[in-house]
Amino acid sequence: MFRAFRSEVEHAIESALQTLAFPTDDLGVETPPKDVPATLASSVAFRLARSANDSPPVVADDIAAAIDLDPDSQSYEYIEHVDTRGPYVNFHVNDEYYTDTLAAGQDPEYGHLPDTGQSVVVEHTSANPTGPIHVGRGRNTIFGDAVARLLEYNGDTVDRHYYLNDAGRQVGVFTWAYEKFDPDSLPDPERDRIDYELVRYYRRGNEFLENADDTAVESAEAEIAAIINGLDAGDTETYERVETVVDQVIEGMQLSFGRLSAAFDEFIKETRFIRNGDADAVVERLKAADSAVYEDDAWQIDLSSHDIEKNLVFLRSDGTTLYTTRDLAHHEWKFNNYDASVTVLGEDHKLQAEQLDATLQILGNDTDQLRQPFYSWVNLPEGGMSTREGTGVDLDDLLDEAIARARQEVYDRLDSRDRDDSLTDDDIDRIARQVGVGAVRYDIVSKQPTKGITFEWDRALDFEAQSAPYIQYVHARCCGIEAEVESSTTLNIADFTSESIPGATALHSDAERALLREIARFPSVVESAATDLEPHVVATFARSFAEQFNTFYRECSVLNAESEAVTAARIALVRAARNTVANALDIVGVDAPQSM
């Protein structure tokens, strides 16, 4: 409804400006200031005041007077009336707007936008397959998965890909170490899981290369180089040796992703583009480019014409390709198979991303279909993280701690209320998992991705503050209200549909109308956030929506309403609120519990 109303407002402003012979390049439609009781406003009078040689309030009055709301001449479905306050032209909605919003909100899929017909591949995480995922890289998973969810709500067809580095030096070291060291010589794994078992080889291999004598290191490096060269040559035996290690690690990592409800549609291996010849084809095309140079015993692309000082190396002196060379082939494959491509990257990859984009253009690609959002790191009070050194904070550790703290919070809250014996241990475990994991996901998604995060337990798990549990509790409260109405009245909520619900005319209080306006706004929030790839905008909406619902809950009784008609309308409003908050949480990857 909000999107339709906004279109009407834009049309009304544009028509008025044309009538007044004003330019229409910027309509100034926006959310009004908090003290302006309207659904939308236009600040265009600010822009036009100088050319009109008049004050903004006077220009605003002229624009409002030029807006024709006569139903015989204009077809405005939702605009009730227009007024001004200072320099703002304010637009107010009618009862039909609220009724249609209430009806639309009954759909469990509310917030999903129409199919765009666009296919999008979202590549995220893509951590080197050398061990368990750590907290810092976990932000890529959480942010990337939220972006994919957001684009699906926007109406796009989305595939989630993990680009698997199975051809680089780290994998060569890992494979060599796996084949060299006896498992009995390694420390016990931190968890009984394959990725935790195998990372011990990787760590021991790096320790050996750093501390062994020169002769031993030279011999090891030769074996590692043979693995890397074998991969680049497409040697089947070498590929199978590496696959043995890599596939097992990915199997374990997927268990961590599963705890976050972050799934991948496909793991795209880097060696795929070596073995099918695509990387070699990219090399030949780059060699033929005008900007190709051979310097420092390597083939490079001079990117100075794209204002990038550092050249991109695409072929070593020994004839082997690099990660970026294969990634160029990978991106061209994505361009050929999808309408748009999104790659989520850490902020330390900005230069490589610029080089990739520029080189793809040199290869003749239209990179407008490529978007590369960046994220900053997640820190814990405990300090830094490094899988290679074995000193990192694994994502599983963070999730275990979050669930344990959430469980304790549930027990504390139950004890303070003379514990509710209707909650079983399974219920408490479910709530602890939903709240704990939800707290981690929400705390990370709710921040602008380019800002660094220091994760703080007390804030993330605060049931009373602006956090995931606070929002989740709204959904649980909605479910509880619906259950009470079902058991205490003759109303059959299950029969409510968008066609059979009560009208919104019974909802006339400020709290009810404000909640309806927020519900109406949700699809527009999805659209705007998807356009900018900013799931944190949805997280912010969910938080403000929870506040608005709690205002309604305090001021408007459902069971003790003044009439059955008001009760029916309010329970329909509760259901619309439940669907809205559930889907807002779903976009950021947070469960919506039915009880807490």
Side-chain angles (χ1 to χ4, degrees):
M1 264 32 72
F2 181 84
R3 295 164 73 222
F5 176 65
R6 185 181 61 196
S7 295
E8 290 183 11
V9 169
E10 291 170 348
H11 180 267
I13 290 289
E14 185 174 24
S15 298
L17 295 182
Q18 290 172 346
T19 299
L20 297 169
F22 284 139
T24 59
D25 53 308
D26 181 4
L27 303 178
V29 176
E30 59 188 54
T31 301
K34 287 186 178 295
D35 62 340
V36 176
T39 301
L40 278 175
S42 172
S43 60
V44 69
F46 279 114
R47 177 175 62 83
L48 298 175
R50 178 173 295 180
S51 60
N53 196 28
D54 222 329
S55 68
V58 171
V59 175
D61 288 338
D62 291 341
I63 294 171
I67 294 175
D68 182 9
L69 296 181
D70 185 345
D72 294 331
S73 59
Q74 296 286 346
S75 178
Y76 293 123
E77 186 177 5
Y78 295 132
I79 299 177
E80 170 72 15
H81 69 276
V82 179
D83 60 21
T84 63
R85 179 177 291 192
Y88 290 95
V89 182
N90 305 312
F91 293 82
H92 302 261
V93 295
N94 57 22
D95 282 342
E96 188 172 357
Y97 177 84
Y98 291 115
T99 295
D100 286 355
T101 296
L102 190 62
Q106 303 308 300
D107 184 356
E109 297 296 302
Y110 182 64
H112 285 83
L113 302 186
D115 187 356
T116 64
Q118 175 173 258
S119 63
V120 184
V121 56
V122 176
E123 177 198 331
H124 68 82
T125 307
S126 299
N128 288 324
T130 53
I133 192 87
H134 65 71
V135 172
R137 189 63 69 182
R139 186 174 190 181
N140 192 317
T141 306
I142 292 169
F143 173 59
D145 183 65
V147 167
R149 290 166 178 260
L150 178 59
L151 292 174
E152 283 184 331
Y153 269 77
N154 189 56
D156 297 330
T157 300
V158 178
D159 278 352
R160 298 158 172 82
H161 285 185
Y162 189 117
Y163 187 50
L164 193 57
N165 179 357
D166 64 336
R169 172 176 167 77
Q170 289 179 310
V171 171
V173 170
F174 200 176
T175 304
W176 161 79
Y178 179 72
E179 296 172 347
K180 176 178 178 60
F181 297 106
D182 189 305
D184 293 335
S185 69
L186 304 176
D188 292 335
E190 296 166 7
R191 291 174 186 260
D192 184 17
R193 215 173 75 187
I194 190 63
D195 48 337
Y196 285 88
E197 292 178 14
L198 291 182
V199 73
R200 299 176 301 158
Y201 293 94
Y202 182 64
R203 291 170 180 165
R204 176 58 60 84
N206 279 289
E207 179 186 339
F208 179 91
L209 293 172
E210 290 175 1
N211 299 312
D213 61 66
D214 291 346
T215 301
V217 169
E218 184 178 349
S219 175
E221 290 290 1
E223 294 178 35
I224 293 166
I227 294 171
I228 297 172
N229 291 337
L231 291 172
D232 203 68
D235 179 67
T236 299
E237 181 183 353
T238 305
Y239 175 80
E240 289 174 351
R241 291 165 61 195
V242 169
E243 187 177 47
T244 298
V245 179
V246 168
D247 286 2
Q248 290 187 88
V249 173
I250 289 298
E251 177 187 334
M253 292 171 72
Q254 287 189 78
L255 297 175
S256 297
F257 301 144
R259 299 182 72 185
L260 289 170
S261 298
F264 291 92
D265 296 295
E266 193 171 356
F267 287 80
I268 306 294
K269 291 186 174 180
E270 186 181 350
T271 51
R272 170 178 181 167
F273 303 100
I274 296 173
R275 293 162 66 84
N276 68 8
D278 286 355
D280 286 341
V282 165
V283 166
E284 295 308 310
R285 288 160 60 203
L286 288 176
K287 282 183 176 181
D290 293 339
S291 51
V293 294
Y294 189 83
E295 295 179 354
D296 301 324
D297 295 326
W299 278 98
Q300 307 177 33
I301 289 290
D302 184 341
L303 299 174
S304 56
S305 61
H306 289 76
D307 297 323
I308 299 173
E309 294 184 6
K310 187 173 182 179
N311 291 355
L312 180 137
V313 178
F314 63 90
L315 192 68
R316 299 184 184 93
S317 58
D318 61 2
T320 57
T321 57
L322 290 86
Y323 175 89
T324 308
T325 321
R326 278 98 67 175
D327 202 22
L328 288 166
H330 172 219
H331 274 77
E332 290 196 319
W333 173 82
K334 289 195 284 188
F335 292 165
N336 289 331
N337 287 277
Y338 296 91
D339 299 317
S341 173
V342 177
T343 307
V344 178
L345 297 168
E347 61 184 0
D348 56 327
H349 286 78
K350 284 185 177 179
L351 174 60
Q352 294 96 313
E354 292 173 356
Q355 291 177 314
L356 178 78
D357 189 286
T359 307
L360 284 168
Q361 292 179 44
I362 290 170
L363 287 168
N365 296 282
D366 177 6
T367 58
D368 287 345
Q369 61 183 305
L370 172 63
R371 302 178 69 182
Q372 302 182 93
F374 296 94
Y375 68 93
S376 188
W377 300 109
V378 177
N379 297 305
L380 297 176
E382 289 82 356
M385 293 163 278
S386 169
T387 303
R388 188 179 69 83
E389 296 292 340
T391 60
V393 179
D394 294 320
L395 179 63
D396 289 307
D397 295 332
L398 179 65
L399 296 180
D400 285 351
E401 182 72 12
I403 292 169
R405 288 177 181 248
R407 180 180 288 107
Q408 186 59 53
E409 178 68 21
V410 173
Y411 280 129
D412 291 346
R413 292 171 70 84
L414 289 173
D415 290 342
S416 69
R417 299 177 184 179
D418 296 325
R419 178 169 179 166
D420 180 0
D421 291 332
S422 66
L423 280 181
T424 67
D425 288 341
D426 286 344
D427 290 330
I428 293 173
D429 286 344
R430 170 187 57 79
I431 294 169
R433 178 185 55 78
Q434 290 178 316
V435 170
V437 175
V440 171
R441 284 202 61 140
Y442 184 85
D443 197 65
I444 288 176
V445 174
S446 65
K447 309 298 190 302
Q448 291 188 24
T450 53
K451 291 185 176 181
I453 295 175
T454 298
F455 192 85
E456 298 175 11
W457 292 111
D458 292 342
R459 183 195 65 224
L461 289 166
D462 192 338
F463 278 63
E464 308 299 333
Q466 297 178 344
S467 59
Y470 175 77
I471 302 166
Q472 289 174 307
Y473 200 78
V474 165
H475 185 269
R477 176 165 278 164
C478 288
C479 294
I481 294 171
E482 289 188 49
E484 282 191 87
V485 169
E486 288 278 20
S487 63
S488 305
T489 73
T490 59
L491 291 171
N492 189 352
I493 302 173
D495 290 341
F496 280 15
T497 67
S498 59
E499 291 80 22
S500 66
I501 64 163
T505 52
L507 305 173
H508 48 73
S509 72
D510 289 345
E512 291 165 326
R513 290 295 171 102
L515 184 57
L516 274 169
R517 285 196 294 270
E518 285 298 285
I519 291 170
R521 207 165 61 85
F522 179 45
S524 178
V525 171
V526 171
E527 180 182 50
S528 175
T531 298
D532 298 327
L533 299 182
E534 293 183 337
H536 71 272
V537 170
V538 178
T540 300
F541 168 83
R543 186 171 60 228
S544 65
F545 186 85
E547 293 172 354
Q548 194 63 63
F549 179 85
N550 286 332
T551 299
F552 160 77
Y553 179 76
R554 288 193 302 269
E555 298 181 9
C556 304
S557 173
V558 177
L559 282 171
N560 298 315
E562 55 267 34
S563 69
E564 186 174 282
V566 175
T567 293
R570 285 180 179 171
I571 195 60
L573 179 57
V574 168
R575 171 179 277 191
R578 173 170 62 83
N579 289 333
T580 299
V581 75
N583 291 335
L585 286 172
D586 185 51
I587 290 172
V588 297
V590 175
D591 283 349
Q594 294 189 6
S595 63
M596 286 179 67

